[in-house]
Amino acid sequence: MNIQWYPGHMTKAKRMMQENMKLIDLVIELVDARIPLASRNPDIDDLGRGKARIVLLNKADLADENANNQWVSYFKARGCFAILINSKTGTGLKQIRSLVQEACKEKIERDRKRGILNRPIRAMVVGIPNVGKSTFINAFAGKACTKTGNKPGVTKGKQWIRLNKELELLDTPGILWPKFEDEQVGLKLAMIGSVNDEILQTEELSVHLIDLLHERYEGVLKARFQIDESLKGAAILGEICRVRKCYLKGEELDYRKAAGILLEEFRSGKMGRLTLEWPV
């Protein structure tokens, strides 16, 4: 299952980010804590080269606690400031202001020596679609200053948000990258909802999700759906059809409906705190 999705507005967004990077002191990158590497756009490393970096592992409440701690250590070991957050509840947001000051302390000191005082730090907020960027900005700013939505691509243009005299944020549209070199990256992005479901074969995608859960979280499908977990991918999807009464005409199983149920319950956390990739 080869997933590629790169709407035209993303090309424009990337160009806009390139043009504005010279104005920026700091890049704040949101990733999904369930797939911290797959939800990082590799283009951001090139675009933000030489800039201070903070990685926010968003939706940490949906991810495995042990994995969360390992991922924070992983990013810190690679020179990024990193913390766990939940934009919807506000968990972790209070730590960000001090983290911004720490990440930009060299820049602040350079400005002080040059006699530049009280210029706010300018941070670009970046992330792939549906990673929670707008929800984060609204929660961090304490007001509804950007549009939010549960569909990829809500933010279409840039906007500056002045939080206080110390910090300004530049919100940018979520962008993917033109080609997923690793098929697993595209699959994981689709599993968390960063690729529009309308272009996906959700039945096949759900089978891949079942396989990943089998590998790391034995028993979670049995606990949620009361099914025989010794079965394999498509057979388990068939069992979910029966348990949740997903039928077409007669007794024909409605695999598409069952796939939608499985994906929704994973994405919403109803199946528990699950992480789909771990640091190597």
Side-chain angles (χ1 to χ4, degrees):
M1 185 176 180
N2 188 19
I3 297 170
Q4 302 294 337
W5 186 57
Y6 196 70
H9 76 269
M10 291 189 183
T11 301
K12 182 180 178 182
K14 181 179 177 181
R15 189 161 55 245
M16 180 269 290
M17 290 170 67
Q18 289 173 318
E19 292 168 355
N20 285 278
M21 195 60 73
K22 60 181 178 292
L23 306 173
I24 298 302
D25 306 306
L26 169 70
V27 175
I28 298 176
E29 181 181 9
L30 270 80
V31 300
D32 191 300
R34 295 166 293 181
I35 53 167
L37 289 187
S39 60
R40 295 191 82 203
N41 186 333
D43 289 345
I44 302 300
D45 286 335
D46 290 331
L47 291 172
R49 195 176 301 281
K51 304 292 182 179
R53 297 287 291 276
I54 295 176
V55 176
L56 305 179
L57 290 102
N58 195 25
K59 306 184 184 181
D61 58 309
L62 299 176
D64 187 308
E65 289 183 89
N66 290 330
N68 282 346
N69 294 329
Q70 290 183 39
W71 279 116
V72 168
S73 298
Y74 172 92
F75 285 115
K76 286 182 177 178
R78 284 155 180 77
C80 295
F81 294 87
I83 59 169
L84 304 167
I85 68 166
N86 178 352
S87 295
K88 287 188 176 180
T89 64
T91 301
L93 299 189
K94 289 183 179 178
Q95 303 173 49
I96 295 175
R97 293 183 193 273
S98 60
L99 206 61
V100 167
Q101 295 295 313
E102 187 177 355
C104 295
K105 62 183 179 181
E106 291 183 6
K107 175 261 175 198
I108 294 169
E109 182 61 21
R110 283 198 306 271
D111 281 356
R112 188 188 65 79
K113 289 180 177 178
R114 292 158 60 190
I116 302 172
L117 303 176
N118 301 321
R119 183 176 82 75
I121 293 168
R122 296 188 181 122
M124 181 182 286
V125 183
V126 301
I128 65 169
N130 211 30
V131 79
K133 213 159 35 65
S134 295
T135 302
F136 157 70
I137 290 175
N138 289 343
F140 190 44
K143 56 187 177 181
C145 49
T146 70
K147 292 181 180 180
T148 61
N150 60 2
K151 291 185 178 180
V154 171
T155 304
K156 290 296 200 311
K158 70 173 183 179
Q159 53 182 324
W160 283 98
I161 299 115
R162 188 178 180 92
L163 271 64
N164 51 44
K165 64 180 182 180
E166 297 176 344
L167 181 61
E168 292 180 351
L169 300 181
L170 176 60
D171 186 22
T172 59
I175 59 170
L176 293 171
W177 49 108
K179 183 176 176 58
F180 303 143
E181 300 294 342
D182 183 348
E183 180 185 10
Q184 289 298 313
V185 169
L187 288 170
K188 289 171 185 174
L189 288 170
M191 288 170 192
I192 67 166
S194 286
V195 178
N196 196 323
D197 280 345
E198 294 174 4
I199 71 161
L200 299 173
Q201 297 173 337
T202 53
E203 300 97 313
E204 186 177 346
L205 179 64
S206 66
V207 170
H208 285 287
L209 176 57
I210 287 167
D211 290 342
L212 276 176
L213 295 177
H214 253 310
E215 182 181 333
R216 179 68 67 166
Y217 297 101
E218 185 177 353
V220 73
L221 292 168
K222 179 180 180 181
R224 182 66 191 171
F225 297 104
Q226 305 303 307
I227 59 176
D228 180 2
E229 213 181 58
S230 66
L231 300 171
K232 298 296 182 182
I236 284 184
L237 193 59
E239 286 298 295
I240 294 174
C241 284
R242 295 182 181 92
V243 170
R244 294 298 179 88
K245 302 189 185 323
C246 301
Y247 294 103
L248 297 168
K249 291 181 179 179
E251 294 297 309
E252 185 181 352
L253 299 180
D254 189 343
Y255 286 96
R256 187 170 184 82
K257 184 176 180 180
I261 290 171
L262 177 67
L263 290 169
E264 188 280 327
E265 297 199 1
F266 163 70
R267 291 169 181 171
S268 65
K270 292 176 183 175
M271 295 169 61
R273 301 181 63 166
L274 306 171
T275 292
L276 298 183
E277 62 180 11
W278 294 59
V280 178

